[in-house]
Amino acid sequence: MELLKYIFLGFIQGMTETIPVSSSGHLMIFKRLMEVNVDFDTIAILTNFGSLIAIIILFWNDIVKLIKGFFSYLINKDKDSKDEYKYCWMIVLGCIPAGLMGLVATVFDLLDTLEENVKFIGLTLLITSVFLYLIKDFKGKKDEEDISWKDAFIIGLYQMVAIIPGISRSGSTIVGGMFQGLKRETAFNFSFILYIPISIATSILGIKDLIELSVSSQTWILYTVAAIVSGIFTYICTKWFAKIVKEGKLIYFSIYCLIVGILVILFL
């Protein structure tokens, strides 16, 4: 039963990390529903790491291309690599708002109360639903090379808002990108490349907490299983979500967030 419990939590994280329904919100909801003795903070750190590995695998070719292009232009001024060089700086700019807000929230413990308020998560899921509904018919015209500094910064602000429990990170950044006129696939790719440095930073910050953990080797095995399950389902769901975005069917997630948000407010 213990193993199944951790497999289930890894499944929830993997299923919800990359689709626009808020993985942190869902973990908090299931924390309330399950009422079990589980360190959800540690689970969140480790399953997030599993999701990060899955995203890196999925976008490995893009990551390598960007890194090669960045240093090729930086060192040799290779004009063919200028777009990759610019794109890397766009990622840096897009991460700054969320990075600063995350630091402030950590130092002042701004989110602790919100994370325990499950009805607040229901409300933020409703907000996510509204934004997904607003962009349901957006197509956009901008490709990756057309992303401006302003676009990157504004998308970064949307990612900053996603620090609030119940606000989907992928949903907010894709919404932000599409509001800025990006094509659906362009917004999707920028959103997930933007996710990688933020998630790496989150994992690094979580190392201190993991080092201080005093648990049995059996519990570590359960944590590892949860992380692996999370990675597997993140990989599967991200590929599926890419197809959904391309087809312009984000309305499905809007309806889902609406239903779950209402149920959480009424019954939890």
Side-chain angles (χ1 to χ4, degrees), residues 13-34:
Q13 166 69 20
M15 287 288 292
T16 59
E17 176 60 43
T18 54
I19 62 176
V21 298
S22 178
S23 60
S24 62
H26 275 72
L27 279 179
M28 290 304 103
I29 291 169
F30 280 96
K31 179 180 180 179
R32 175 65 65 86
L33 289 174
M34 293 173 71

Side-chain angles (χ1 to χ4, degrees), residues 18-22 26 124-138 158 166-176 178-179 184 241 244-245 248-258:
T18 54
I19 62 176
V21 298
S22 178
H26 275 72
T124 51
L125 283 172
L126 294 181
I127 294 172
T128 297
S129 173
V130 170
F131 277 103
L132 290 172
Y133 178 80
L134 290 175
I135 55 125
K136 69 182 190 304
D137 297 322
F138 279 34
Y158 276 86
I167 300 291
S168 165
R169 193 217 61 86
S170 63
S172 61
T173 49
I174 289 174
V175 165
M178 292 177 70
F179 273 145
R184 290 167 180 160
F241 183 44
I244 294 293
V245 172
K249 296 180 179 178
L250 289 173
I251 185 65
Y252 296 154
F253 299 106
S254 175
I255 295 170
Y256 174 85
C257 288
L258 176 66

Side-chain angles (χ1 to χ4, degrees), residues 98-191:
L100 292 175
M101 181 56 72
L103 183 61
V104 171
T106 301
V107 171
F108 295 100
D109 293 327
L110 298 180
L111 301 179
D112 287 353
T113 303
L114 296 180
E115 288 176 349
E116 296 302 320
N117 189 337
V118 74
K119 290 192 182 298
F120 177 81
I121 290 171
L123 176 62
T124 51
L125 283 172
L126 294 181
I127 294 172
T128 297
S129 173
V130 170
F131 277 103
L132 290 172
Y133 178 80
L134 290 175
I135 55 125
K136 69 182 190 304
D137 297 322
F138 279 34
K139 294 182 179 180
K141 297 180 180 179
K142 294 182 181 179
D143 288 310
E144 292 180 352
E145 62 270 17
D146 300 318
I147 300 176
S148 68
W149 297 102
K150 177 183 175 183
D151 295 334
F153 182 70
I154 290 176
I155 294 170
L157 292 177
Y158 276 86
Q159 181 166 246
M160 179 184 72
V161 174
I163 290 176
I164 300 172
I167 300 291
S168 165
R169 193 217 61 86
S170 63
S172 61
T173 49
I174 289 174
V175 165
M178 292 177 70
F179 273 145
Q180 291 304 113
L182 273 60
K183 291 181 178 178
R184 290 167 180 160
E185 287 182 85
T186 304
F188 176 87
N189 289 335
F190 191 78
S191 170

